[in-house]
Amino acid sequence: MLSGDHVFILLFLYRYVRLAVNLVAFCLHRPIPLPENPRLTSQNVTVVIPSLQGDGGELCETIRSILATEPHEIILVTVEAQEMRARKMAKESNFSKVRICSVSQPNKRRQMVRAIPEIQTEITIFADDDVTWPSTILPWMLAPLEDEQYGGVGTNQRLRRAERPNLQQRIWGYLGALYLERRNFDCASCMFVDGGLPCLSGRTVAYRTSILRDESFTYQFTHEEWLGQYQLNADDDNFITRWLISHGKKISYQHHKQAEVLTTLEDNPKFLKQCLRWSRSNWRSNITSMFCDRHIWIHQPWSAYAVYLTTVSHWAILWDALLIYFYIDMARSWTRDTQDLGLAMLASWIFLSKFLKLLGHYIRYPVDFLLLPVSILFGYFHGLIKGYAMLSLNVTAWGSREGADDDDAYRMFRVSQKHQEALEYRSAVCYTQ
């Protein structure tokens, strides 16, 4: 039976070896450099933008920033009810390179599949309708794809900070910015260690068009099963990331200022609903990766430990409490001064670990150090969000964007036994072709 000393040491190492290695990896990570004579150019790129509204000032700004990179074409996929608005916007804004397509019901996977047959270029980039691209992004995204072994490329993301925010907006925006900062850190670190990452985010991501056109991919993408009982039509970027890994394709993450995408997140209490949606998505995808697909254990063992396992094992308030409890148990025979010194050192390390991976954000915005206690308290509160997400994995609602839940019943639904058998048969046929 393990003693309290051994339990403390194991808990400490399990939690903080990950942080120590990732800090070194993040500092050493470099993006794949630009080739001297690239084969791929912006004219080999089609950008697909799934959109619910099909127009609006934010979407126009997104399209303008993408057009500045001179892609071959942009395909805007909206819903039939908004198609005329989208065409009017494109005409009034003189977006000659923008082609409009539509689907009958709003669903991102359905919108993506609608665009794929229309694509005429070697590379497809999917982008959300609220992102801003730097004019320098495409060469960095295309650089890894010069190598045929690579199937997908993601980039780092930052929050577009609000102008003149009130106190509430500043706090929610701060939490959103840290979410993206933490994600950038995890992606860059894992990419350096074993070429893995948690997910190629759909905010902006490049794929080889040939992969998207593969018949078996299209079928699996539109008929994904969850727990053998549900058909899942959410979590599109998680699915494609898993597909690339399971089919032997390399993925890349270009962490570079010239490939940095700006995006928006909720700067009000709806941010909590976003966190709940992300947490449910992480649970569903990471459970699938670890216990169903299982390819990550062979191809990305460090990522499996450093990112995927945290879904089930990382609960901040529980870990902190256990470390302190077992430290006190371990130090019972020490002198009082030694106990106090050791406890102070442990508490200082726990505190330091709360913001080390976020240091880049605080260097850019030193004033946000004043909000550090907010992020620590929110980290503890997030455990409740994560626990509730675990108990409601069959829910796919956004709850934070107008019109986003019109297709909620379609995102995940229970399949009949007969339908399930048909899916399993069709899946087997696709994999053997």
Side-chain angles (χ1 to χ4, degrees):
M1 184 174 178
L2 292 176
S3 66
D5 300 28
H6 293 145
V7 173
F8 172 79
I9 293 171
L10 289 174
L11 288 175
F12 188 90
L13 290 176
Y14 178 80
R15 187 176 190 185
Y16 293 119
V17 164
R18 173 177 64 242
L19 175 61
V21 173
N22 278 355
L23 283 170
V24 174
F26 181 77
C27 293
L28 295 176
H29 172 75
R30 297 293 182 272
I32 293 176
L34 302 182
E36 292 185 6
N37 299 299
R39 181 181 65 83
L40 298 172
T41 70
S42 62
Q43 291 305 299
N44 297 108
V45 174
T46 296
V47 182
V48 177
I49 307 176
S51 175
L52 289 173
Q53 302 302 325
D55 68 350
E58 192 171 59
L59 175 58
C60 282
E61 288 304 312
T62 294
I63 293 174
R64 288 192 183 96
S65 74
I66 294 175
L67 286 174
T69 66
E70 300 183 346
H72 174 76
E73 185 180 35
I74 295 176
I75 300 178
L76 176 64
V77 190
T78 186
V79 293
E80 290 178 354
Q82 306 295 340
E83 183 176 352
M84 294 308 297
R85 292 174 59 180
R87 293 188 181 280
K88 181 180 178 182
M89 175 204 67
K91 182 177 180 180
E92 292 179 350
S93 302
N94 195 29
F95 292 152
S96 58
K97 279 191 174 184
V98 177
R99 187 149 47 116
I100 310 298
C101 297
S102 65
V103 294
S104 58
Q105 297 294 325
N107 179 262
K108 191 174 180 180
R109 289 202 194 199
R110 191 183 285 178
Q111 289 170 273
M112 293 164 71
V113 170
R114 170 64 182 86
I116 291 171
E118 308 291 333
I119 298 169
Q120 303 171 4
T121 56
E122 186 175 344
I123 306 300
T124 299
I125 296 182
F126 291 109
D128 281 356
D129 60 1
D130 60 350
V131 298
T132 302
W133 283 14
S135 60
T136 52
I137 191 173
L138 283 186
W140 288 99
M141 295 194 75
L142 293 175
L145 295 170
E146 295 282 338
D147 184 344
E148 292 291 335
Q149 296 182 77
Y150 284 88
V153 180
T155 70
N156 58 311
Q157 303 161 5
R158 304 274 184 224
L159 183 72
R160 186 188 301 123
R161 289 171 74 91
E163 297 181 7
R164 300 177 183 176
N166 58 37
L167 179 60
Q168 178 183 215
Q169 290 174 320
R170 183 177 293 277
I171 291 174
W172 291 115
Y174 163 73
L175 294 175
L178 292 192
Y179 164 79
L180 294 175
E181 189 74 23
R182 191 176 295 108
R183 189 184 186 285
N184 291 337
F185 177 88
D186 289 339
C187 289
S189 301
C190 291
M191 183 58 55
F192 177 82
V193 176
D194 65 6
L197 45 68
C199 173
L200 287 169
S201 171
R203 291 187 182 93
T204 293
V205 59
Y207 301 111
R208 293 193 184 280
T209 306
S210 59
I211 294 174
L212 304 177
R213 284 181 175 161
D214 183 84
E215 181 183 353
S216 60
F217 168 84
T218 302
Y219 185 83
Q220 294 294 322
F221 188 58
T222 53
H223 295 82
E224 183 183 358
E225 291 183 59
W226 165 246
L227 296 180
Q229 302 179 48
Y230 300 93
Q231 182 169 320
L232 180 63
N233 293 306
D235 312 339
D236 52 277
D237 46 7
N238 283 303
F239 175 90
I240 302 179
T241 303
R242 293 196 309 272
W243 176 273
L244 294 176
I245 295 170
S246 65
H247 286 72
K249 289 294 184 179
K250 289 184 178 180
I251 55 180
S252 180
Y253 176 75
Q254 295 290 76
H255 190 272
H256 194 281
K257 183 65 177 177
Q258 293 185 350
E260 186 174 278
V261 173
L262 297 181
T263 187
T264 59
L265 297 175
E266 294 291 346
D267 58 1
N268 54 62
K270 288 183 178 180
F271 177 71
L272 298 177
K273 294 183 177 180
Q274 285 187 315
C275 289
L276 182 59
R277 177 171 60 86
W278 295 330
S279 187
R280 286 176 178 141
S281 180
N282 286 338
W283 274 108
R284 287 190 295 259
S285 183
N286 291 353
I287 287 174
T288 300
S289 294
M290 289 188 291
F291 306 119
C292 298
D293 292 352
R294 299 189 295 276
H295 295 94
I296 59 169
W297 299 108
I298 298 174
H299 301 295
Q300 300 172 359
W302 176 259
S303 298
Y305 157 64
V307 176
Y308 291 91
L309 271 178
T310 60
T311 300
V312 297
S313 66
H314 183 66
W315 307 80
I317 194 167
L318 178 62
W319 274 100
D320 289 354
L322 286 174
L323 283 170
I324 292 173
Y325 172 82
F326 283 107
Y327 167 80
I328 293 173
D329 181 69
M330 179 180 67
R332 287 185 189 279
S333 61
W334 301 358
T335 65
R336 181 60 183 270
D337 289 345
T338 306
Q339 288 178 356
D340 291 346
L341 177 61
L343 185 60
M345 292 176 64
L346 176 61
S348 298
W349 172 251
I350 291 174
F351 173 76
L352 188 65
S353 69
K354 302 294 184 186
F355 69 89
L356 273 177
K357 65 165 63 176
L358 307 172
L359 203 54
H361 174 84
Y362 293 116
I363 291 173
R364 287 190 299 276
Y365 306 106
V367 69
D368 281 359
F369 260 117
L370 298 175
L371 295 174
L372 181 58
V374 175
S375 72
I376 294 175
L377 292 174
F378 185 77
Y380 292 140
F381 175 75
H382 191 269
L384 297 177
I385 297 176
K386 184 176 173 180
Y388 181 68
M390 178 184 65
L391 299 174
S392 55
L393 294 181
N394 63 323
V395 179
T396 57
W398 281 49
S400 60
R401 189 172 184 180
E402 183 180 354
D405 291 327
D406 291 349
D407 71 323
D408 189 47
Y410 178 73
R411 289 200 196 107
M412 181 185 286
F413 58 87
R414 189 181 293 273
V415 296
S416 65
Q417 181 65 29
K418 185 175 181 180
H419 186 197
Q420 183 178 344
E421 291 173 354
L423 287 176
E424 292 173 351
Y425 173 76
R426 174 60 176 160
S427 176
V429 170
C430 287
Y431 276 121
T432 56
Q433 284 180 345

